[in-house]
Amino acid sequence: MKDKVNAGIIGASGYTGGELMRLLLNHPHVNLEMATSRKLAGQNVSKKHAHLAGLTDLEFEELDPVAVKQRCDVVFLAVPHGSAMDIVPQLIDSDLLIVDLSADYRLDVEEFEKVYGIKHHDPRKVVFGLVELHPEVKGETFVSNPGCYPTGATLAAAPVVNAGLADIAVFDSKSGITGAGVNPSQASHYPNMAENIQPYKLTTHRHRAEIWQELNGLGGLDSVNFTPHVIPAIRGILTTAHLFLNEECSEEDIRQLYDSFYSDCPFVRLVDDIPALGNVRGSNFCDIGFEIDTNSNRLVVISAIDNLVKGASGQAIQNMNLMCGFRETDGLWNAGLAP
């Protein structure tokens, strides 16, 4: 294990690229070597990401796979869905460690093509990088980083599903607008977003496939239902999971179940109150709280994450830490930006 690794970011001009740089610049075992952007090549990264001014002199550069393999020990792909599958084959046959933040390798090929409507050019089996469910990340050289909604939803329900205590799961997620990406849209236009909540893709959001894949791998659920909403916040995802229990459980039973399941997971915190986005904003934590509805044997679980950190860039670095043999918490052990 190297004490310090050189890291590169392919597609570094967006929110996840900027967040990767913010976190990696403070990582004790990382030298940020490269940041690519086709449109911004030659510009200082702080011209695009003004919050990084004075912290780095790095300039965006064009993607050159040969240079990536020569100069980097680990590379993060923060490119649009459908793009990573054209880049990975040029990088994979080397000593380079790869963490892909796109959706290209999260699902089985047949499911990916059905959900995303894209022919996959590079079918291969890749570990799904939700560390709390996939500790085998530690021995991998290529990991697919989970989506933001599936991270919060899956962590909320995993202990119950793993114990075989639920048959039906219904997820209602509220996300800050950065989840829609850096390019403005009608949904993110201020008059449409302010003082409003916008449900979208009520039954057809493609992240449902990831939630189903991960929870179905833990136990036999009859159905997984997912509806996302965008809220007038910048960061964060608050997920309400309605888990319909098939046997009676006390609050102590559920607490012990979650404590046991996440006993070796430093970034999952079981809280006594209702989780709040302000307590995880800017951090890699996932806060979880719950309450049992005794009238219907329904377990209501709330999870709170920062969509750009635990839902994207922080989780990618968490994967990198394990792949490189670093401590899982290196560069990420920071409190949320409350209030």
Side-chain angles (χ1 to χ4, degrees):
M1 180 189 77
K2 291 185 176 181
D3 182 61
K4 199 120 178 168
V5 296
N6 291 324
I9 303 167
I10 297 175
S13 63
Y15 288 138
T16 55
E19 196 71 351
L20 278 166
M21 284 190 271
R22 178 181 75 86
L23 295 167
L24 290 172
L25 285 168
N26 288 291
H27 196 292
H29 300 295
V30 172
N31 170 57
L32 186 55
E33 172 66 23
M34 177 186 294
T36 80
S37 171
R38 186 179 67 257
K39 294 180 180 179
L40 302 178
Q43 291 186 22
N44 193 290
V45 299
S46 62
K47 187 172 182 180
K48 175 67 176 178
H49 301 295
H51 61 298
L52 302 179
L55 300 176
T56 177
D57 294 324
L58 206 63
E59 293 183 351
F60 290 113
E61 48 190 287
E62 292 274 5
L63 171 60
D64 179 350
V66 174
V68 173
K69 290 188 285 188
Q70 289 175 341
R71 292 164 51 192
C72 298
D73 301 299
V74 59
V75 67
F76 300 90
L77 275 70
V79 295
H81 309 316
S83 300
M85 67 178 78
D86 295 324
I87 299 171
V88 166
Q90 303 176 67
L91 303 174
I92 199 75
D93 295 321
S94 66
D95 294 329
L96 188 67
L97 300 179
I98 302 172
V99 181
D100 176 29
L101 282 79
S102 83
D104 289 11
Y105 297 93
R106 295 174 188 163
L107 302 169
D108 291 339
V109 171
E110 183 178 345
E111 185 69 9
F112 173 86
E113 292 180 346
K114 182 174 77 172
V115 171
Y116 285 85
I118 303 171
K119 180 70 176 176
H120 208 298
H121 305 146
D122 183 45
R124 64 177 78 232
K125 189 71 175 174
V126 181
V127 169
F128 189 79
L130 188 58
V131 169
E132 290 79 9
L133 270 62
H134 294 281
E136 66 270 23
V137 161
K138 194 168 186 177
E140 296 297 316
T141 57
F142 180 23
V143 167
S144 180
N145 212 56
C148 52
Y149 283 129
T151 296
T154 303
L155 291 176
V160 174
V161 175
N162 185 65
L165 293 175
D167 300 318
I168 299 173
V170 178
F171 298 98
D172 176 306
S173 295
K174 308 288 196 297
S175 174
I177 194 61
T178 50
V182 71
N183 294 318
S185 67
Q186 272 299 109
S188 64
H189 187 45
Y190 184 81
N192 298 332
M193 188 70 262
E195 302 179 25
N196 193 17
I197 297 176
Q198 300 184 65
Y200 67 105
K201 296 184 179 177
L202 305 187
T203 63
T204 60
H205 196 285
R206 51 200 184 187
H207 277 182
R208 179 198 171 276
E210 289 178 47
I211 301 169
W212 170 258
Q213 170 184 275
E214 293 306 298
L215 293 181
N216 203 45
L218 292 174
L221 278 172
D222 292 337
S223 68
V224 168
N225 310 275
F226 171 60
T227 299
H229 307 67
V230 180
I231 60 174
I234 297 171
R235 291 173 178 255
I237 295 177
L238 195 78
T239 294
T240 303
H242 304 270
L243 308 176
F244 294 89
L245 303 178
N246 50 37
E247 64 180 73
E248 284 193 21
C249 296
S250 68
E251 290 206 357
E252 186 56 32
D253 292 334
I254 298 299
R255 180 168 294 280
Q256 289 180 3
L257 187 67
Y258 276 77
D259 280 339
S260 175
F261 191 88
Y262 290 126
S263 61
D264 295 321
C265 302
F267 290 112
V268 177
R269 303 188 297 197
L270 194 61
V271 300
D272 294 328
D273 298 319
I274 299 173
L277 293 180
N279 293 334
V280 298
R281 190 178 296 118
S283 82
N284 200 54
F285 288 108
C286 173
D287 283 359
I288 294 176
F290 69 88
E291 186 173 307
I292 297 175
D293 180 355
T294 55
N295 295 312
S296 61
N297 218 26
R298 173 178 61 114
L299 174 65
V300 181
V301 185
I302 309 293
S303 70
I305 64 171
D306 185 318
N307 58 299
L308 295 179
V309 188
K310 183 57 176 168
S313 303
Q315 185 152 243
I317 293 170
Q318 186 181 357
N319 279 307
M320 179 207 73
N321 282 341
L322 292 179
M323 295 164 75
C324 291
F326 304 141
R327 291 182 305 173
E328 187 175 344
T329 56
D330 280 346
L332 296 171
W333 199 243
N334 303 302
L337 301 175

